[in-house]
PDB file of all heavy atoms in Angstrom:
ATOM      1  N   GLN A  33      19.037   6.095   9.168  1.00 95.00           N
ATOM      2  CA  GLN A  33      18.632   6.120  10.561  1.00 95.00           C
ATOM      3  C   GLN A  33      19.781   5.580  11.395  1.00 95.00           C
ATOM      4  O   GLN A  33      20.209   4.444  11.199  1.00 95.00           O
ATOM      5  CB  GLN A  33      17.373   5.283  10.774  1.00 95.00           C
ATOM      6  CG  GLN A  33      16.132   5.905  10.146  1.00 95.00           C
ATOM      7  CD  GLN A  33      14.873   5.125  10.441  1.00 95.00           C
ATOM      8  OE1 GLN A  33      14.204   4.635   9.529  1.00 95.00           O
ATOM      9  NE2 GLN A  33      14.517   5.011  11.704  1.00 95.00           N
ATOM     10  N   LEU A  34      20.261   6.402  12.282  1.00 91.00           N
ATOM     11  CA  LEU A  34      21.411   6.040  13.094  1.00 91.00           C
ATOM     12  C   LEU A  34      20.958   5.214  14.285  1.00 91.00           C
ATOM     13  O   LEU A  34      20.186   5.689  15.114  1.00 91.00           O
ATOM     14  CB  LEU A  34      22.143   7.287  13.556  1.00 91.00           C
ATOM     15  CG  LEU A  34      22.682   8.157  12.414  1.00 91.00           C
ATOM     16  CD1 LEU A  34      23.301   9.432  12.965  1.00 91.00           C
ATOM     17  CD2 LEU A  34      23.700   7.384  11.591  1.00 91.00           C
ATOM     18  N   GLY A  35      21.459   3.999  14.356  1.00 89.00           N
ATOM     19  CA  GLY A  35      21.098   3.128  15.463  1.00 89.00           C
ATOM     20  C   GLY A  35      19.919   2.251  15.106  1.00 89.00           C
ATOM     21  O   GLY A  35      18.813   2.742  14.900  1.00 89.00           O
ATOM     22  N   SER A  36      20.143   0.965  15.036  1.00 91.00           N
ATOM     23  CA  SER A  36      19.044   0.047  14.739  1.00 91.00           C
ATOM     24  C   SER A  36      18.183  -0.176  15.969  1.00 91.00           C
ATOM     25  O   SER A  36      17.022  -0.558  15.854  1.00 91.00           O
ATOM     26  CB  SER A  36      19.589  -1.291  14.224  1.00 91.00           C
ATOM     27  OG  SER A  36      20.435  -1.873  15.186  1.00 91.00           O
ATOM     28  N   HIS A  37      18.780   0.057  17.149  1.00 95.00           N
ATOM     29  CA  HIS A  37      18.050  -0.099  18.401  1.00 95.00           C
ATOM     30  C   HIS A  37      18.352   1.094  19.309  1.00 95.00           C
ATOM     31  O   HIS A  37      19.498   1.527  19.414  1.00 95.00           O
ATOM     32  CB  HIS A  37      18.468  -1.381  19.134  1.00 95.00           C
ATOM     33  CG  HIS A  37      18.095  -2.629  18.409  1.00 95.00           C
ATOM     34  ND1 HIS A  37      18.859  -3.159  17.402  1.00 95.00           N
ATOM     35  CD2 HIS A  37      17.017  -3.445  18.525  1.00 95.00           C
ATOM     36  CE1 HIS A  37      18.279  -4.251  16.945  1.00 95.00           C
ATOM     37  NE2 HIS A  37      17.166  -4.440  17.601  1.00 95.00           N
ATOM     38  N   VAL A  38      17.315   1.597  19.959  1.00 97.00           N
ATOM     39  CA  VAL A  38      17.474   2.634  20.974  1.00 97.00           C
ATOM     40  C   VAL A  38      16.722   2.168  22.209  1.00 97.00           C
ATOM     41  O   VAL A  38      15.551   1.782  22.119  1.00 97.00           O
ATOM     42  CB  VAL A  38      16.923   3.987  20.493  1.00 97.00           C
ATOM     43  CG1 VAL A  38      16.865   4.978  21.632  1.00 97.00           C
ATOM     44  CG2 VAL A  38      17.779   4.537  19.357  1.00 97.00           C
ATOM     45  N   SER A  39      17.412   2.201  23.340  1.00 97.00           N
ATOM     46  CA  SER A  39      16.819   1.729  24.582  1.00 97.00           C
ATOM     47  C   SER A  39      16.742   2.886  25.568  1.00 97.00           C
ATOM     48  O   SER A  39      17.731   3.584  25.802  1.00 97.00           O
ATOM     49  CB  SER A  39      17.677   0.596  25.161  1.00 97.00           C
ATOM     50  OG  SER A  39      17.102   0.090  26.333  1.00 97.00           O
ATOM     51  N   VAL A  40      15.558   3.108  26.141  1.00 97.00           N
ATOM     52  CA  VAL A  40      15.373   4.182  27.114  1.00 97.00           C
ATOM     53  C   VAL A  40      14.558   3.656  28.278  1.00 97.00           C
ATOM     54  O   VAL A  40      13.853   2.644  28.164  1.00 97.00           O
ATOM     55  CB  VAL A  40      14.657   5.410  26.504  1.00 97.00           C
ATOM     56  CG1 VAL A  40      15.454   5.979  25.339  1.00 97.00           C
ATOM     57  CG2 VAL A  40      13.245   5.061  26.068  1.00 97.00           C
ATOM     58  N   SER A  41      14.620   4.361  29.370  1.00 97.00           N
ATOM     59  CA  SER A  41      13.782   4.043  30.523  1.00 97.00           C
ATOM     60  C   SER A  41      12.457   4.788  30.405  1.00 97.00           C
ATOM     61  O   SER A  41      12.383   5.858  29.788  1.00 97.00           O
ATOM     62  CB  SER A  41      14.477   4.450  31.819  1.00 97.00           C
ATOM     63  OG  SER A  41      15.677   3.728  31.996  1.00 97.00           O
ATOM     64  N   GLU A  42      11.431   4.220  30.964  1.00 97.00           N
ATOM     65  CA  GLU A  42      10.132   4.881  30.962  1.00 97.00           C
ATOM     66  C   GLU A  42      10.268   6.254  31.622  1.00 97.00           C
ATOM     67  O   GLU A  42      10.879   6.379  32.695  1.00 97.00           O
ATOM     68  CB  GLU A  42       9.105   4.034  31.704  1.00 97.00           C
ATOM     69  CG  GLU A  42       7.675   4.516  31.552  1.00 97.00           C
ATOM     70  CD  GLU A  42       6.673   3.554  32.182  1.00 97.00           C
ATOM     71  OE1 GLU A  42       7.091   2.741  33.022  1.00 97.00           O
ATOM     72  OE2 GLU A  42       5.484   3.617  31.811  1.00 97.00           O
ATOM     73  N   GLY A  43       9.723   7.286  30.960  1.00 97.00           N
ATOM     74  CA  GLY A  43       9.837   8.644  31.484  1.00 97.00           C
ATOM     75  C   GLY A  43      11.017   9.413  30.947  1.00 97.00           C
ATOM     76  O   GLY A  43      11.087  10.641  31.110  1.00 97.00           O
ATOM     77  N   ALA A  44      11.949   8.745  30.310  1.00 98.00           N
ATOM     78  CA  ALA A  44      13.133   9.414  29.770  1.00 98.00           C
ATOM     79  C   ALA A  44      12.858   9.982  28.382  1.00 98.00           C
ATOM     80  O   ALA A  44      11.882   9.620  27.723  1.00 98.00           O
ATOM     81  CB  ALA A  44      14.309   8.435  29.701  1.00 98.00           C
ATOM     82  N   LEU A  45      13.763  10.863  27.965  1.00 98.00           N
ATOM     83  CA  LEU A  45      13.666  11.469  26.644  1.00 98.00           C
ATOM     84  C   LEU A  45      13.911  10.430  25.552  1.00 98.00           C
ATOM     85  O   LEU A  45      14.811   9.601  25.662  1.00 98.00           O
ATOM     86  CB  LEU A  45      14.697  12.582  26.512  1.00 98.00           C
ATOM     87  CG  LEU A  45      14.877  13.206  25.116  1.00 98.00           C
ATOM     88  CD1 LEU A  45      13.669  14.058  24.753  1.00 98.00           C
ATOM     89  CD2 LEU A  45      16.166  14.011  25.052  1.00 98.00           C
ATOM     90  N   VAL A  46      13.098  10.510  24.506  1.00 98.00           N
ATOM     91  CA  VAL A  46      13.294   9.662  23.339  1.00 98.00           C
ATOM     92  C   VAL A  46      13.889  10.505  22.219  1.00 98.00           C
ATOM     93  O   VAL A  46      13.375  11.586  21.914  1.00 98.00           O
ATOM     94  CB  VAL A  46      11.956   9.056  22.855  1.00 98.00           C
ATOM     95  CG1 VAL A  46      12.169   8.262  21.558  1.00 98.00           C
ATOM     96  CG2 VAL A  46      11.346   8.167  23.932  1.00 98.00           C
ATOM     97  N   LEU A  47      14.969  10.007  21.624  1.00 98.00           N
ATOM     98  CA  LEU A  47      15.592  10.679  20.483  1.00 98.00           C
ATOM     99  C   LEU A  47      15.934   9.631  19.443  1.00 98.00           C
ATOM    100  O   LEU A  47      16.779   8.770  19.674  1.00 98.00           O
ATOM    101  CB  LEU A  47      16.850  11.429  20.900  1.00 98.00           C
ATOM    102  CG  LEU A  47      17.711  11.996  19.750  1.00 98.00           C
ATOM    103  CD1 LEU A  47      16.922  12.997  18.926  1.00 98.00           C
ATOM    104  CD2 LEU A  47      18.991  12.629  20.301  1.00 98.00           C
ATOM    105  N   LEU A  48      15.282   9.697  18.311  1.00 98.00           N
ATOM    106  CA  LEU A  48      15.564   8.789  17.200  1.00 98.00           C
ATOM    107  C   LEU A  48      16.084   9.636  16.050  1.00 98.00           C
ATOM    108  O   LEU A  48      15.439  10.583  15.631  1.00 98.00           O
ATOM    109  CB  LEU A  48      14.296   8.029  16.777  1.00 98.00           C
ATOM    110  CG  LEU A  48      13.590   7.240  17.875  1.00 98.00           C
ATOM    111  CD1 LEU A  48      12.390   6.510  17.305  1.00 98.00           C
ATOM    112  CD2 LEU A  48      14.534   6.276  18.559  1.00 98.00           C
ATOM    113  N   ARG A  49      17.251   9.246  15.540  1.00 98.00           N
ATOM    114  CA  ARG A  49      17.943  10.086  14.567  1.00 98.00           C
ATOM    115  C   ARG A  49      17.669   9.686  13.125  1.00 98.00           C
ATOM    116  O   ARG A  49      17.614   8.496  12.805  1.00 98.00           O
ATOM    117  CB  ARG A  49      19.448  10.050  14.826  1.00 98.00           C
ATOM    118  CG  ARG A  49      19.843  10.551  16.204  1.00 98.00           C
ATOM    119  CD  ARG A  49      21.341  10.428  16.434  1.00 98.00           C
ATOM    120  NE  ARG A  49      21.699  10.778  17.805  1.00 98.00           N
ATOM    121  CZ  ARG A  49      21.951  12.000  18.214  1.00 98.00           C
ATOM    122  NH1 ARG A  49      21.894  13.015  17.361  1.00 98.00           N
ATOM    123  NH2 ARG A  49      22.265  12.233  19.480  1.00 98.00           N
ATOM    124  N   CYS A  50      17.528  10.704  12.293  1.00 97.00           N
ATOM    125  CA  CYS A  50      17.300  10.486  10.867  1.00 97.00           C
ATOM    126  C   CYS A  50      18.037  11.569  10.095  1.00 97.00           C
ATOM    127  O   CYS A  50      17.845  12.760  10.340  1.00 97.00           O
ATOM    128  CB  CYS A  50      15.812  10.537  10.542  1.00 97.00           C
ATOM    129  SG  CYS A  50      15.427  10.460   8.774  1.00 97.00           S
ATOM    130  N   ASN A  51      18.878  11.159   9.188  1.00 97.00           N
ATOM    131  CA  ASN A  51      19.536  12.073   8.270  1.00 97.00           C
ATOM    132  C   ASN A  51      19.147  11.704   6.852  1.00 97.00           C
ATOM    133  O   ASN A  51      18.920  10.543   6.547  1.00 97.00           O
ATOM    134  CB  ASN A  51      21.056  12.017   8.437  1.00 97.00           C
ATOM    135  CG  ASN A  51      21.505  12.676   9.718  1.00 97.00           C
ATOM    136  OD1 ASN A  51      21.571  12.039  10.759  1.00 97.00           O
ATOM    137  ND2 ASN A  51      21.797  13.961   9.634  1.00 97.00           N
TER     138      ASN A  51
END
Side-chain angles (χ1 to χ4, degrees):
Chain A
Q33 290 184 241
L34 299 176
S36 59
H37 294 83
V38 170
S39 182
V40 300
S41 297
E42 190 174 19
L45 172 71
V46 175
L47 171 61
L48 304 182
R49 300 177 186 273
C50 174
N51 287 88

